[in-house]
């Protein structure tokens, strides 16, 4: 141990401050990136500076954010669940169909509860298969993704549901604030922002303060160690998949509500957006690292990029390319910063193998 | 606990290597299954299913997915996975179509043999280039294959969509369409192209230096590294090969459907993985056979066509794919309980060419952001 001189103390304090600003999972970097992007787009096109922009970006974030939170829960344990969009559209479309046929009471709360329940059940199927057979979540969810989509289109329906129940339509258009954006369009802040913000706070609390939340991180960090410490590993991983299913069901319902109709071919194939957002938000693709705040920022970043592309007159078809590139950059950054302590990681790998 | 210890011994013993070279796990079971599926559907629809016409029709349909399956198999042999093959095929097909439309005009016509050949070469070059991008990401930047190819799936597919504005390109000259519609002695040309590609892949995997190294890296990366295998060229070669196969699939898709659709075959991502898994490719890496992929592709094509003849809903096939994937994996898991730790290892990131194990780095400082994996809590 070297003696601490005032100079090194200063450097240490400055280092600590920078580390604090960066956040545990680079949340600070993502936030800085958000601001930087906003500045650049704002300079190129001054129309950008408006409340309408904020409302639009937030509006476009509701559905991917709820998907992303579910994806994050599973990712924290080291699993990659690619079935969330299939679960989402399954739940959203099936419930929309039931509600239009009058099989469900026309109450927004009940409709969303049923969608959540369907999502939970489908997530439970993922959990049972992957835990029961000790299979990788990725491969299982790739299979169930096809299973859910196929089942939806074969047995539930493959045509549009055009007329949603009045309660859902009202909910989808219930804005807290409204502003008139350029071009006569109206941008608003939907009521949804309140329950979704509450959901974020709740999940952040669960991840930080509950044994379940700590268990997710522990399993992602080192499954065997978590098991030996006494975490019920199988149970926690299964619960994460169930919860991810529940959130995906809710997100699917949000999608249907906001779009205003049920299209069973929607969503599937759009998962890169969500995965990119979570990874950009600082969650480690190996599990064990990630936060709700980072995920929120990541989703907002992807949403802002997509919105800016439209604003700058770039065809929306380039969005896929942009998000793919973002994903590459996000992952490369993770891998670049991982390289230094690769020795430790490798030893861990050897032990795991 | 003797078995557990035995499993920790490096898997690539000389005995196992010899067994691998002999192709010990021969796909007889799969052959029986494929024949059984064929017989079942032949009995269910005796007039139509086993007819020459239907066989020819299936011979036009199966090569594209078979080629994608071969590419996925190669990546799985190195303990990786390539999810971007469909997007590569689409981008290659769109590029070839754009080239032909520029040279030949938008209205189709006959076109020359040379034009068609150039278009094929362009598609293959695009496939190889896309594979090179994957290889560089996975090898040079050391990104986990699944994530790298998930990202490039978006990039390549997005490029194809952006280039065409999302529309299908039509007006492909006849000389090129002959690759999809023509036949030689009654055998559809796509089948012949697939056979050539399958033979080339088998040669690559079983008789070339690259193939041996691929299996080495997939079987036991650490051992391969200690014996002097350089990760770079092996994984680069793997993903370029996969890209080439996907480029050829793109050629067949455009020639068969007479159009270049930028987002064609979205369901092929699942299908190509199902094919590789059904083919008995070891998800832990190190093992895979071309024969297995061919048989698995045929079996799945029989099921797809059979479903159509039996009047099932077209989407039921997708449900069946998901079920088959889970069922096959479930059976394997039951057969060899505990052998799946390798999947976890692969998903947690395989690092070719990294520093050797044993040099224990000091625990990262608490505030240091994202320094590798979390230490055990």
């Amino acid at each position: 141990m070297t003696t601490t001189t005032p100079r090194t103390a200063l450097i240490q304090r400055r280092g600590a401050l920078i580390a604090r600003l960066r956040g545990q999972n680079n949340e600070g970097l993502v936030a800085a990136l958000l601001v930087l992007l906003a500045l650049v787009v704002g300079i190129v096109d001054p129309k950008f500076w408006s409340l309408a922009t904020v409302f639009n970006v937030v509006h476009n974030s509701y559905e991917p954010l709820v998907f992303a939170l579910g994806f994050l829960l599973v990712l924290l344990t080291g699993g990659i669940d690619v079935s969330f969009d299939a679960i989402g559209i399954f739940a959203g479309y099936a419930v929309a169909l039931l509600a239009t046929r009058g099989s469900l009471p026309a109450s927004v709360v009940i409709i969303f509860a049923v969608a959540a329940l369907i999502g939970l059940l489908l997530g439970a199927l993922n959990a049972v298969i992957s835990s029961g057979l000790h299979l990788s979540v990725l491969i299982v969810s790739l299979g169930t993704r096809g299973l859910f989509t196929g089942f939806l289109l074969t047995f539930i329906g493959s045509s549009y549901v055009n007329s949603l129940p009045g309660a859902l339509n009202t909910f989808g258009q219930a804005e807290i604030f409204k502003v008139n954006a350029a071009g006569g369009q109206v941008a608003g802040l939907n009521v949804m922002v309140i329950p979704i913000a509450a959901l974020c706070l709740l999940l952040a609390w669960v991840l930080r303060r509950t044994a379940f939340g700590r268990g997710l991180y522990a399993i992602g960090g080192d499954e065997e160690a978590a098991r030996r410490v006494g975490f019920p590993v199988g149970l926690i991983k299964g619960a994460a998949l169930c919860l991810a299913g529940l959130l995906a069901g809710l997100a699917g319902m949000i999608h249907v509500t906001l779009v205003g109709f049920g299209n069973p071919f929607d969503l599937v194939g759009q998962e890169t957006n969500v995965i990119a957002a979570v990874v950009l938000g600082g969650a480690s693709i190996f599990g064990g690292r990630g936060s709700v705040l980072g995920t929120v920022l990541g989703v907002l970043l992807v949403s802002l990029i997509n919105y800016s592309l439209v604003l700058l007159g770039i065809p929306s078809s380039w969005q896929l390319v942009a998000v793919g590139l973002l994903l590459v950059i996000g992952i490369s950054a993770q891998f670049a910063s991982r390289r230094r302590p690769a020795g430790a990681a490798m030893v861990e790998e050897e032990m795991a193998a | 606990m003797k078995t557990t210890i035995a499993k920790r011994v490096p898997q690539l013993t000389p005995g196992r290597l010899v067994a691998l070279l002999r192709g010990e796990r021969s796909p007889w079971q799969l052959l029986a299954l494929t024949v059984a599926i064929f017989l079942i559907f032949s009995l269910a629809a005796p007039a139509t299913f086993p007819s020459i016409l239907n066989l020819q029709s299936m011979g036009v349909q199966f090569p594209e997915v078979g080629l994608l399956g071969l590419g996925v198999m190669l990546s799985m042999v190195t303990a990786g996975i390539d999810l971007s093959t469909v997007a590569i095929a689409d981008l290659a097909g769109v590029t070839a179509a754009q080239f032909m439309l520029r040279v030949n005009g938008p209205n189709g016509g006959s076109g020359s043999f040379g034009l068609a050949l150039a278009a094929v070469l362009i598609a293959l070059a695009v496939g190889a280039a896309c594979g090179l991008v994957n290889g560089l990401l996975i090898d040079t930047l050391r990104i986990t294959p699944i994530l790298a190819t998930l990202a490039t799936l978006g990039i390549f597919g997005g490029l194809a969509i952006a280039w065409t504005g999302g529309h299908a390109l039509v007006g492909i000259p006849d000389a090129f369409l002959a690759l999809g519609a023509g036949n030689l002695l009654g055998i559809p040309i796509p089948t012949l192209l697939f056979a050539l590609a399958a033979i080339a892949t088998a040669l690559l995997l079983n008789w070339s230096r690259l193939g041996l190294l691929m299996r080495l890296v997939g079987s036991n990366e650490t051992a391969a590294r200690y014996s002097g295998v350089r990760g770079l060229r092996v994984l680069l070669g793997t993903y370029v090969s996969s890209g080439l196969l996907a480029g050829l699939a793109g050629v067949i898709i455009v020639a068969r459907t007479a159009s270049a659709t930028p987002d064609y075959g979205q369901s092929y991502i699942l299908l190509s993985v199902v094919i590789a898994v059904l083919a008995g490719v070891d998800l832990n890496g190190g093992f895979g056979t071309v024969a297995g992929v061919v048989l698995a592709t045929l079996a799945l094509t029989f099921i797809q066509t059979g479903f159509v003849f039996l009047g099932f809903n077209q989407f039921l096939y997708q449900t069946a794919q998901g079920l088959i994937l889970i069922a096959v994996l479930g059976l394997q898991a039951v057969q060899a309980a505990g052998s799946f730790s390798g999947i976890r290892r692969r998903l947690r990131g395989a690092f070719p060419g990294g520093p050797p194990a044993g040099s224990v780095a000091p625990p990262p400082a608490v505030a240091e952001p994202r320094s590798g994996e979390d230490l055990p809590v």
Side-chain angles (χ1 to χ4, degrees), chain A residues 6-351:
Chain A
R7 197 179 141 72
T8 53
L10 188 72
I11 292 172
Q12 272 173 3
R13 221 177 305 147
R14 202 168 54 191
L17 182 70
I18 292 172
R20 209 178 144 72
L21 280 179
R22 266 178 84 165
Q24 240 182 337
N25 304 298
N26 282 353
E27 287 94 345
L29 277 186
V30 189
L33 206 58
L34 256 173
V35 174
L36 187 72
L37 182 71
L39 284 175
V40 171
V41 180
I43 289 167
V44 176
D45 187 348
K47 273 207 305 279
F48 178 82
W49 300 115
S50 69
L51 208 53
T53 302
V54 178
F55 285 175
N56 273 320
V57 170
V58 171
H59 186 89
N60 294 339
S61 304
Y62 295 144
E63 163 209 327
L65 178 58
V66 178
F67 274 129
L69 290 173
F71 186 80
L72 174 73
L73 289 180
V74 180
L75 188 64
L76 284 177
T77 68
I80 295 177
D81 175 8
V82 290
S83 68
F84 58 85
D85 45 2
I87 294 182
I89 199 59
F90 191 112
Y93 179 80
V95 171
L97 199 67
L98 284 176
T100 349
R101 284 185 188 158
S103 319
L104 281 177
S107 143
V108 172
V109 175
I110 292 180
I111 286 175
F112 271 81
V114 173
L117 184 69
I118 293 178
L120 179 73
L121 290 175
L122 298 183
L125 190 64
N126 276 337
V128 167
I129 297 171
S130 68
S131 300
L133 297 174
H134 294 286
L135 292 174
S136 112
V137 173
L138 173 81
I139 298 284
V140 168
S141 60
L142 198 62
T144 53
R145 178 176 178 253
L147 197 65
F148 297 154
T149 316
F151 190 89
L152 173 71
L153 296 171
T154 315
F155 298 109
I156 297 180
S158 52
S159 54
Y160 277 49
V161 176
N162 276 323
S163 52
L164 294 184
L168 269 191
N169 274 330
T170 319
F171 182 56
Q173 286 156 14
E175 323 283 7
I176 306 176
F177 302 111
K178 265 186 199 170
V179 287
N180 289 315
Q185 285 174 325
V186 180
L189 193 63
N190 195 282
V191 183
M192 257 177 222
V193 74
I194 298 168
I196 290 176
L199 176 72
C200 291
L201 292 175
L202 177 71
L203 270 183
W205 177 79
V206 166
L207 289 185
R208 278 166 176 267
R209 301 281 173 215
T210 65
F212 169 69
R214 300 322 294 169
L216 293 176
Y217 286 98
I219 292 170
D222 189 322
E223 192 172 323
E224 189 52 40
R227 186 172 286 125
R228 293 191 187 181
V229 168
F231 281 111
V233 170
L235 205 64
I236 293 179
K237 284 166 87 175
L241 279 167
C242 290
L243 271 181
L246 184 149
L247 290 170
L250 284 177
M253 203 62 235
I254 292 174
H255 171 81
V256 170
T257 308
L258 289 179
V259 176
F261 55 83
N263 173 7
F265 295 95
D266 261 1
L267 291 183
V268 174
Q270 305 293 313
E271 57 278 88
T272 332
N273 267 323
V274 170
I275 298 176
V278 176
V279 170
L280 283 173
S284 163
I285 40 200
F286 308 103
R289 273 177 190 275
S291 67
V292 171
L293 177 63
T295 303
V296 172
L297 291 171
V299 170
L300 287 175
L301 182 62
V302 170
S303 191
L304 179 64
I305 288 168
N306 283 340
Y307 180 76
S308 308
L309 288 178
V310 175
L311 195 72
L312 299 178
I314 298 165
S316 59
S317 36
W318 284 100
Q319 286 180 9
L320 269 176
V321 184
V323 172
L325 282 174
L326 264 181
L327 188 55
V328 168
I329 293 167
I331 307 167
S332 310
Q334 283 198 11
F335 274 78
S337 66
R338 224 179 105 89
R339 206 171 288 179
R340 240 174 318 131
M346 282 209 37
V347 172
E348 264 193 285
E349 255 170 51
E350 310 279 289
M351 311 270 277

Side-chain angles (χ1 to χ4, degrees), chain B residues 227-248:
Chain B
S227 38
V229 175
R230 283 185 52 202
L232 184 77
R233 286 185 218 133
V234 179
L235 290 187
L236 214 57
T238 307
Y239 286 89
V240 169
S241 312
S242 171
L244 269 174
L245 290 164
L248 185 60

Side-chain angles (χ1 to χ4, degrees), chain B residues 216-233:
Chain B
L216 270 168
V217 168
S219 299
N220 189 329
E221 225 197 298
T222 317
R225 195 160 51 232
Y226 278 140
S227 38
V229 175
R230 283 185 52 202
L232 184 77
R233 286 185 218 133

